[in-house]
Amino acid sequence: VALWILATALLMPFTDGAIDPPLPWNIPFDLYIFAISYFYLAGSWRKTGQTLGMRAWRYEVVNEDGARISWRQGLGRVLAAILSWLLLGTGWLWILFDREGLALHDRLSGTRMRRVTSDE
């Protein structure tokens, strides 16, 4: 959310100080926020396997081989996570029924979360 606030603040000088959509959705602004979110998430996952929050909880995202994920997998994971939210969180409940304990967005994107041990 802090990233979205900063990204919106950067636009304010160019919008007369307001982001006021004439329709229920402001498609250009929504795409801008999506792009900012994607590059933060996928970039973090590509570089270190972790976002700031994942570092605190000592988890990382890897592909099925245990290596860093690709930009394409990052996009798939972000889009599938949106689907998980649209399904009212059932994408995360999927973990309870998946034989490998993967969330729906991990299953769809070919990624997985793993705990970072102290010796890594």
Side-chain angles (χ1 to χ4, degrees):
V1 173
L3 185 62
W4 295 342
I5 292 169
L6 178 61
T8 302
L10 292 173
L11 287 181
M12 298 303 255
F14 305 105
T15 62
D16 294 326
I19 305 291
D20 188 21
L23 302 170
W25 294 283
N26 183 338
I27 302 295
F29 178 71
D30 293 343
L31 291 174
Y32 169 71
I33 291 297
F34 176 82
I36 295 290
S37 301
Y38 166 70
F39 284 112
Y40 167 72
L41 292 168
S44 296
W45 295 331
R46 286 268 311 140
K47 184 175 181 182
T48 65
Q50 300 172 301
T51 61
L52 186 59
M54 293 168 76
R55 286 181 198 172
W57 289 99
R58 301 184 55 80
Y59 280 96
E60 67 180 348
V61 175
V62 295
N63 67 21
E64 293 169 340
D65 300 328
R68 297 281 177 253
I69 68 172
S70 67
W71 285 103
R72 179 182 231 156
Q73 283 179 303
L75 179 60
R77 191 167 201 275
V78 168
L79 293 174
I82 292 170
L83 175 63
S84 291
W85 277 112
L86 291 174
L87 295 173
L88 304 176
T90 55
W92 279 272
L93 290 176
W94 184 281
I95 293 169
L96 300 173
F97 306 101
D98 188 271
R99 59 184 158 78
E100 295 179 57
L102 299 177
L104 178 61
H105 48 275
D106 286 320
R107 181 64 66 194
L108 293 175
S109 64
T111 63
R112 58 192 65 241
M113 297 278 290
R114 86 174 165 195
R115 186 93 167 135
V116 176
T117 59
S118 59
D119 58 341
E120 289 185 53

